[in-house]
């Protein structure tokens, strides 16, 4: 906000559309107010679950840590790929949202002129084209989530398989059936 307010008038405000400014401030404020607290709570919960699972499995089947190394590397590589894809889709979605806000602002300000020249159909068609472009990026971003969930579940399944195999191979080391089931 400080950079925008202190920006030079001729090189920033004359060139930057109003829709892009509205888009930037509304999205940032929404992220701070709505998304950040819930994401922080989910992150904390996930970390506690992950640490407790690793400790529990390490106590009863320390051999599982051998399988954990390649799965962790695979997970980190996939996470980097997902983060880059998600970041790019969010950027494209934000870029395609700015013309939507700009056109809405222009339409509200020039509504009397649009009606006077009977241009409602043209403006509706342009707005639908811009909205479709934005919806396409939103759809791709939305479909990236099931794609990543499927890959994460696959990695988790391999981890469960590794723990199960380790516990079956170590059944003679004094690990009770209930402890093996808990692991």
């Amino acid at each position: 906000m400080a950079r925008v307010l202190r920006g030079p008038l001729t090189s920033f405000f004359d060139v930057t559309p109003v829709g892009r400014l509205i888009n930037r401030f509304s999205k940032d404020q929404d992220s701070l107010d709505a998304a950040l607290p819930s994401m922080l709570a989910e992150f904390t919960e996930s970390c506690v679950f992950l640490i407790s699972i690793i400790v529990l499995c390490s106590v009863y089947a320390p051999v599982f840590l051998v399988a954990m190394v390649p799965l962790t590397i695979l997970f980190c590589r996939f996470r980097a790929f997902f983060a880059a894809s998600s970041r790019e889709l969010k950027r494209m979605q934000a870029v395609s949202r700015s013309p939507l806000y700009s056109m809405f602002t222009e339409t509200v300000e020039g509504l009397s002129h649009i009606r006077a020249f009977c241009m409602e159909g043209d403006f509706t068609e342009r707005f639908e084209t811009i909205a479709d472009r934005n919806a396409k990026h939103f759809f791709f971003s939305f479909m990236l989530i099931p794609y990543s969930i499927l890959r994460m579940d696959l990695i988790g399944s391999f981890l469960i398989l590794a723990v199960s195999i380790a516990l079956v191979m170590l059944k003679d080391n004094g690990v009770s059936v209930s402890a093996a089931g808990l692991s």
Side-chain angles (χ1 to χ4, degrees), residues 53-65 183:
I53 288 169
I54 290 173
V55 167
L56 184 68
C57 290
S58 298
V59 167
Y60 291 115
V63 178
F64 122 92
L65 292 174
S183 295

Side-chain angles (χ1 to χ4, degrees), residues 70-88:
L71 290 175
T72 302
I73 292 170
L74 183 66
F75 175 80
C76 290
R77 289 189 66 188
F78 176 73
R79 177 71 179 107
F81 173 75
F82 172 75
S85 302
S86 178
R87 186 180 325 112
E88 187 64 22

Side-chain angles (χ1 to χ4, degrees), residues 4 30 38 46 65 67 73-74 80 86 91 108 128 135-136 138 148 150 153 160 183:
V4 170
D30 178 55
S38 63
S46 296
L65 292 174
I73 292 170
L74 183 66
S86 178
R91 186 194 64 76
V108 169
E128 287 174 353
K136 181 173 35 172
F138 177 77
S148 68
L150 179 68
D153 284 347
I160 291 170
S183 295

Side-chain angles (χ1 to χ4, degrees), residues 77-179:
R77 289 189 66 188
F78 176 73
R79 177 71 179 107
F81 173 75
F82 172 75
S85 302
S86 178
R87 186 180 325 112
E88 187 64 22
L89 280 170
K90 293 284 186 194
R91 186 194 64 76
M92 289 168 36
Q93 188 178 6
V95 167
S96 70
R97 193 180 316 118
S98 295
L100 202 64
Y101 288 151
S102 291
M103 182 161 185
F104 181 75
T105 305
E106 291 171 10
T107 305
V108 169
E109 289 175 359
L111 195 56
S112 59
H113 297 287
I114 294 170
R115 288 185 179 153
F117 291 106
C118 298
M119 299 291 290
E120 294 96 346
D122 293 337
F123 270 82
T124 302
E125 192 174 310
R126 275 183 44 208
F127 184 78
E128 287 174 353
T129 302
I130 293 170
D132 284 346
R133 192 175 303 133
N134 180 260
K136 181 173 35 172
H137 296 299
F138 177 77
F139 178 74
F140 291 149
S141 180
F142 185 73
M143 291 312 297
L144 187 64
I145 295 170
Y147 172 82
S148 68
I149 289 173
L150 179 68
R151 299 317 187 261
M152 299 291 182
D153 284 347
L154 187 63
I155 293 171
S157 297
F158 280 128
L159 189 62
I160 291 170
L161 179 67
V163 170
S164 301
I165 289 173
L167 287 170
V168 167
M169 292 174 71
L170 297 174
K171 67 180 177 183
D172 297 329
N173 284 353
V175 177
S176 67
V177 175
S178 59

